[in-house]
Amino acid sequence: MKGRRTGVLLGLHLLLMVYSLSSVLSKLSGRYSWPEPGLFLCAFGVLGLLGVYALGWQQVIKRMPLTAAFANKAVTVVWGLVWGVLLFDEAVTPGKLAGCALVMAGVALFAAEEGKP
């Protein structure tokens, strides 16, 4: 039972990583103007990623409580920071780190409370 739950949680976090990539493509689309092919590639990429996310989200909420799945969705803030640094050379500021730490603490607190009777 515990191994299954861990697998579902890992799947959820991989799915949230995919979801966060849709924001990356949205940001990249700003580099193109109408009607450049890159704009269309980014737009269809966003639609594809969101389609994968929608299908995966339905599978996740079949296997875990919606409140738990939705609380974990906040982790996309951390992915946003990671993608910003890796792909867009954005600076990591103390405020951004504090914000990510606060989000992670909230997710961890929720997870700890969820397991209590």
Side-chain angles (χ1 to χ4, degrees):
M1 177 81 171
K2 185 140 179 132
R4 182 177 175 265
R5 181 179 168 179
T6 302
V8 171
L9 197 58
L10 179 61
L12 171 62
H13 281 266
L14 288 172
L15 186 64
L16 292 172
M17 181 186 72
V18 168
Y19 175 70
S20 70
L21 285 170
S22 68
S23 296
V24 170
L25 287 178
S26 292
K27 185 169 182 166
L28 285 174
S29 71
R31 296 180 178 177
Y32 303 102
S33 52
W34 182 263
E36 290 184 85
L39 180 66
F40 292 102
L41 288 173
C42 288
F44 286 118
V46 168
L47 288 174
L49 288 172
L50 291 177
V52 168
Y53 169 73
L55 293 172
W57 181 255
Q58 295 303 313
Q59 296 305 309
V60 166
I61 62 174
K62 278 189 204 176
R63 293 167 174 80
M64 71 186 302
L66 178 61
T67 54
F70 199 76
N72 279 275
K73 195 172 179 183
V75 172
T76 57
V77 171
V78 176
W79 280 113
L81 180 66
V82 170
W83 299 136
V85 169
L86 293 178
L87 302 174
F88 300 107
D89 294 322
E90 293 178 358
V92 178
T93 64
K96 289 178 184 177
L97 287 175
C100 285
L102 189 59
V103 166
M104 294 304 294
V107 170
L109 281 172
F110 184 86
E113 286 298 315
E114 182 190 36
K116 292 183 180 178

